[in-house]
PDB file of all heavy atoms in Angstrom:
ATOM      1  N   SER A 146     -37.684  92.218 -94.731  1.00  0.00           N
ATOM      2  CA  SER A 146     -37.915  93.338 -95.650  1.00  0.00           C
ATOM      3  C   SER A 146     -38.432  94.578 -94.908  1.00  0.00           C
ATOM      4  O   SER A 146     -39.131  94.453 -93.908  1.00  0.00           O
ATOM      5  CB  SER A 146     -38.969  92.960 -96.694  1.00  0.00           C
ATOM      6  OG  SER A 146     -38.654  91.735 -97.306  1.00  0.00           O
ATOM      7  N   THR A 147     -38.101  95.733 -95.437  1.00  0.00           N
ATOM      8  CA  THR A 147     -38.725  96.977 -94.990  1.00  0.00           C
ATOM      9  C   THR A 147     -39.534  97.508 -96.164  1.00  0.00           C
ATOM     10  O   THR A 147     -38.992  97.707 -97.255  1.00  0.00           O
ATOM     11  CB  THR A 147     -37.657  98.012 -94.582  1.00  0.00           C
ATOM     12  OG1 THR A 147     -36.897  97.457 -93.508  1.00  0.00           O
ATOM     13  CG2 THR A 147     -38.292  99.315 -94.118  1.00  0.00           C
ATOM     14  N   VAL A 148     -40.829  97.699 -95.939  1.00  0.00           N
ATOM     15  CA  VAL A 148     -41.704  98.186 -97.005  1.00  0.00           C
ATOM     16  C   VAL A 148     -41.873  99.693 -96.835  1.00  0.00           C
ATOM     17  O   VAL A 148     -42.295 100.175 -95.782  1.00  0.00           O
ATOM     18  CB  VAL A 148     -43.080  97.476 -96.966  1.00  0.00           C
ATOM     19  CG1 VAL A 148     -43.997  98.027 -98.061  1.00  0.00           C
ATOM     20  CG2 VAL A 148     -42.912  95.966 -97.110  1.00  0.00           C
ATOM     21  N   ILE A 149     -41.517 100.434 -97.872  1.00  0.00           N
ATOM     22  CA  ILE A 149     -41.554 101.901 -97.821  1.00  0.00           C
ATOM     23  C   ILE A 149     -42.569 102.430 -98.824  1.00  0.00           C
ATOM     24  O   ILE A 149     -42.481 102.135-100.013  1.00  0.00           O
ATOM     25  CB  ILE A 149     -40.161 102.484 -98.150  1.00  0.00           C
ATOM     26  CG1 ILE A 149     -39.141 101.975 -97.130  1.00  0.00           C
ATOM     27  CG2 ILE A 149     -40.207 104.015 -98.174  1.00  0.00           C
ATOM     28  CD1 ILE A 149     -37.712 102.340 -97.473  1.00  0.00           C
ATOM     29  N   TYR A 150     -43.516 103.203 -98.310  1.00  0.00           N
ATOM     30  CA  TYR A 150     -44.503 103.849 -99.181  1.00  0.00           C
ATOM     31  C   TYR A 150     -44.087 105.292 -99.384  1.00  0.00           C
ATOM     32  O   TYR A 150     -43.778 106.002 -98.422  1.00  0.00           O
ATOM     33  CB  TYR A 150     -45.893 103.762 -98.530  1.00  0.00           C
ATOM     34  CG  TYR A 150     -46.963 104.544 -99.251  1.00  0.00           C
ATOM     35  CD1 TYR A 150     -47.191 104.359-100.611  1.00  0.00           C
ATOM     36  CD2 TYR A 150     -47.759 105.462 -98.562  1.00  0.00           C
ATOM     37  CE1 TYR A 150     -48.175 105.087-101.273  1.00  0.00           C
ATOM     38  CE2 TYR A 150     -48.757 106.179 -99.215  1.00  0.00           C
ATOM     39  CZ  TYR A 150     -48.947 105.990-100.574  1.00  0.00           C
ATOM     40  OH  TYR A 150     -49.913 106.704-101.221  1.00  0.00           O
ATOM     41  N   LEU A 151     -44.037 105.733-100.638  1.00  0.00           N
ATOM     42  CA  LEU A 151     -43.656 107.108-100.956  1.00  0.00           C
ATOM     43  C   LEU A 151     -44.898 107.972-100.905  1.00  0.00           C
ATOM     44  O   LEU A 151     -45.868 107.701-101.628  1.00  0.00           O
ATOM     45  CB  LEU A 151     -43.055 107.171-102.365  1.00  0.00           C
ATOM     46  CG  LEU A 151     -41.627 106.630-102.576  1.00  0.00           C
ATOM     47  CD1 LEU A 151     -40.664 107.255-101.582  1.00  0.00           C
ATOM     48  CD2 LEU A 151     -41.549 105.133-102.552  1.00  0.00           C
ATOM     49  N   ALA A 152     -44.878 108.987-100.056  1.00  0.00           N
ATOM     50  CA  ALA A 152     -46.053 109.850 -99.915  1.00  0.00           C
ATOM     51  C   ALA A 152     -45.643 111.210 -99.392  1.00  0.00           C
ATOM     52  O   ALA A 152     -44.711 111.308 -98.593  1.00  0.00           O
ATOM     53  CB  ALA A 152     -47.045 109.210 -98.940  1.00  0.00           C
ATOM     54  N   PRO A 153     -46.343 112.273 -99.827  1.00  0.00           N
ATOM     55  CA  PRO A 153     -45.970 113.606 -99.355  1.00  0.00           C
ATOM     56  C   PRO A 153     -46.171 113.787 -97.846  1.00  0.00           C
ATOM     57  O   PRO A 153     -45.583 114.691 -97.259  1.00  0.00           O
ATOM     58  CB  PRO A 153     -46.871 114.553-100.141  1.00  0.00           C
ATOM     59  CG  PRO A 153     -47.781 113.713-100.965  1.00  0.00           C
ATOM     60  CD  PRO A 153     -47.396 112.279-100.836  1.00  0.00           C
ATOM     61  N   ASP A 154     -46.988 112.921 -97.206  1.00  0.00           N
ATOM     62  CA  ASP A 154     -47.161 113.056 -95.748  1.00  0.00           C
ATOM     63  C   ASP A 154     -46.253 112.105 -94.972  1.00  0.00           C
ATOM     64  O   ASP A 154     -46.454 111.883 -93.776  1.00  0.00           O
ATOM     65  CB  ASP A 154     -48.637 112.885 -95.343  1.00  0.00           C
ATOM     66  CG  ASP A 154     -49.254 111.574 -95.830  1.00  0.00           C
ATOM     67  OD1 ASP A 154     -48.600 110.866 -96.623  1.00  0.00           O
ATOM     68  OD2 ASP A 154     -50.382 111.256 -95.410  1.00  0.00           O
ATOM     69  N   GLY A 155     -45.241 111.558 -95.643  1.00  0.00           N
ATOM     70  CA  GLY A 155     -44.293 110.686 -94.946  1.00  0.00           C
ATOM     71  C   GLY A 155     -43.192 111.466 -94.259  1.00  0.00           C
ATOM     72  O   GLY A 155     -43.151 112.698 -94.296  1.00  0.00           O
ATOM     73  N   GLU A 156     -42.289 110.714 -93.650  1.00  0.00           N
ATOM     74  CA  GLU A 156     -41.097 111.273 -93.000  1.00  0.00           C
ATOM     75  C   GLU A 156     -40.202 111.871 -94.083  1.00  0.00           C
ATOM     76  O   GLU A 156     -40.018 111.264 -95.135  1.00  0.00           O
ATOM     77  CB  GLU A 156     -40.430 110.078 -92.302  1.00  0.00           C
ATOM     78  CG  GLU A 156     -39.047 110.194 -91.850  1.00  0.00           C
ATOM     79  CD  GLU A 156     -38.531 108.826 -91.327  1.00  0.00           C
ATOM     80  OE1 GLU A 156     -39.182 107.778 -91.532  1.00  0.00           O
ATOM     81  OE2 GLU A 156     -37.467 108.828 -90.734  1.00  0.00           O
ATOM     82  N   LYS A 157     -39.660 113.056 -93.858  1.00  0.00           N
ATOM     83  CA  LYS A 157     -38.881 113.742 -94.892  1.00  0.00           C
ATOM     84  C   LYS A 157     -37.549 113.060 -95.127  1.00  0.00           C
ATOM     85  O   LYS A 157     -36.834 112.731 -94.181  1.00  0.00           O
ATOM     86  CB  LYS A 157     -38.690 115.206 -94.465  1.00  0.00           C
ATOM     87  CG  LYS A 157     -38.053 116.093 -95.496  1.00  0.00           C
ATOM     88  CD  LYS A 157     -39.063 116.891 -96.327  1.00  0.00           C
ATOM     89  CE  LYS A 157     -39.943 117.849 -95.565  1.00  0.00           C
ATOM     90  NZ  LYS A 157     -39.304 119.122 -95.241  1.00  0.00           N
ATOM     91  N   LEU A 158     -37.197 112.851 -96.391  1.00  0.00           N
ATOM     92  CA  LEU A 158     -35.905 112.249 -96.740  1.00  0.00           C
ATOM     93  C   LEU A 158     -34.774 113.202 -96.379  1.00  0.00           C
ATOM     94  O   LEU A 158     -34.782 114.364 -96.772  1.00  0.00           O
ATOM     95  CB  LEU A 158     -35.850 111.934 -98.237  1.00  0.00           C
ATOM     96  CG  LEU A 158     -34.528 111.346 -98.733  1.00  0.00           C
ATOM     97  CD1 LEU A 158     -34.269 109.969 -98.136  1.00  0.00           C
ATOM     98  CD2 LEU A 158     -34.503 111.268-100.256  1.00  0.00           C
ATOM     99  N   THR A 159     -33.810 112.679 -95.626  1.00  0.00           N
ATOM    100  CA  THR A 159     -32.621 113.461 -95.253  1.00  0.00           C
ATOM    101  C   THR A 159     -31.413 112.567 -95.501  1.00  0.00           C
ATOM    102  O   THR A 159     -31.555 111.359 -95.713  1.00  0.00           O
ATOM    103  CB  THR A 159     -32.629 113.825 -93.760  1.00  0.00           C
ATOM    104  OG1 THR A 159     -32.695 112.601 -93.009  1.00  0.00           O
ATOM    105  CG2 THR A 159     -33.778 114.740 -93.393  1.00  0.00           C
ATOM    106  N   GLN A 160     -30.239 113.169 -95.411  1.00  0.00           N
ATOM    107  CA  GLN A 160     -29.002 112.410 -95.592  1.00  0.00           C
ATOM    108  C   GLN A 160     -28.896 111.274 -94.548  1.00  0.00           C
ATOM    109  O   GLN A 160     -28.597 110.144 -94.924  1.00  0.00           O
ATOM    110  CB  GLN A 160     -27.839 113.401 -95.505  1.00  0.00           C
ATOM    111  CG  GLN A 160     -26.587 112.983 -96.186  1.00  0.00           C
ATOM    112  CD  GLN A 160     -26.707 112.832 -97.696  1.00  0.00           C
ATOM    113  OE1 GLN A 160     -27.685 113.174 -98.318  1.00  0.00           O
ATOM    114  NE2 GLN A 160     -25.703 112.262 -98.269  1.00  0.00           N
ATOM    115  N   PRO A 161     -29.157 111.527 -93.246  1.00  0.00           N
ATOM    116  CA  PRO A 161     -29.110 110.415 -92.284  1.00  0.00           C
ATOM    117  C   PRO A 161     -30.117 109.304 -92.593  1.00  0.00           C
ATOM    118  O   PRO A 161     -29.814 108.122 -92.418  1.00  0.00           O
ATOM    119  CB  PRO A 161     -29.443 111.075 -90.936  1.00  0.00           C
ATOM    120  CG  PRO A 161     -29.107 112.514 -91.117  1.00  0.00           C
ATOM    121  CD  PRO A 161     -29.348 112.830 -92.565  1.00  0.00           C
ATOM    122  N   LEU A 162     -31.297 109.657 -93.086  1.00  0.00           N
ATOM    123  CA  LEU A 162     -32.270 108.615 -93.420  1.00  0.00           C
ATOM    124  C   LEU A 162     -31.774 107.782 -94.602  1.00  0.00           C
ATOM    125  O   LEU A 162     -31.892 106.554 -94.607  1.00  0.00           O
ATOM    126  CB  LEU A 162     -33.650 109.233 -93.726  1.00  0.00           C
ATOM    127  CG  LEU A 162     -34.742 108.244 -94.150  1.00  0.00           C
ATOM    128  CD1 LEU A 162     -34.962 107.143 -93.105  1.00  0.00           C
ATOM    129  CD2 LEU A 162     -36.065 108.959 -94.429  1.00  0.00           C
ATOM    130  N   ALA A 163     -31.175 108.449 -95.597  1.00  0.00           N
ATOM    131  CA  ALA A 163     -30.622 107.708 -96.749  1.00  0.00           C
ATOM    132  C   ALA A 163     -29.559 106.731 -96.272  1.00  0.00           C
ATOM    133  O   ALA A 163     -29.529 105.564 -96.688  1.00  0.00           O
ATOM    134  CB  ALA A 163     -30.034 108.700 -97.763  1.00  0.00           C
ATOM    135  N   GLN A 164     -28.719 107.187 -95.360  1.00  0.00           N
ATOM    136  CA  GLN A 164     -27.650 106.322 -94.850  1.00  0.00           C
ATOM    137  C   GLN A 164     -28.233 105.132 -94.078  1.00  0.00           C
ATOM    138  O   GLN A 164     -27.787 103.996 -94.232  1.00  0.00           O
ATOM    139  CB  GLN A 164     -26.721 107.142 -93.950  1.00  0.00           C
ATOM    140  CG  GLN A 164     -25.509 106.350 -93.499  1.00  0.00           C
ATOM    141  CD  GLN A 164     -24.454 107.230 -92.864  1.00  0.00           C
ATOM    142  OE1 GLN A 164     -24.741 108.351 -92.426  1.00  0.00           O
ATOM    143  NE2 GLN A 164     -23.236 106.745 -92.811  1.00  0.00           N
ATOM    144  N   GLU A 165     -29.242 105.413 -93.266  1.00  0.00           N
ATOM    145  CA  GLU A 165     -29.885 104.348 -92.488  1.00  0.00           C
ATOM    146  C   GLU A 165     -30.483 103.283 -93.419  1.00  0.00           C
ATOM    147  O   GLU A 165     -30.303 102.091 -93.211  1.00  0.00           O
ATOM    148  CB  GLU A 165     -30.973 104.997 -91.619  1.00  0.00           C
ATOM    149  CG  GLU A 165     -31.658 104.049 -90.671  1.00  0.00           C
ATOM    150  CD  GLU A 165     -32.858 104.715 -89.989  1.00  0.00           C
ATOM    151  OE1 GLU A 165     -32.874 105.967 -89.860  1.00  0.00           O
ATOM    152  OE2 GLU A 165     -33.783 103.983 -89.608  1.00  0.00           O
TER     153      GLU A 165
END
Side-chain angles (χ1 to χ4, degrees):
S146 309
T147 299
V148 178
I149 300 172
Y150 173 53
L151 285 308
D154 55 351
E156 164 187 12
K157 187 96 61 80
L158 178 65
T159 58
Q160 204 64 8
L162 177 57
Q164 186 168 20
E165 185 188 334

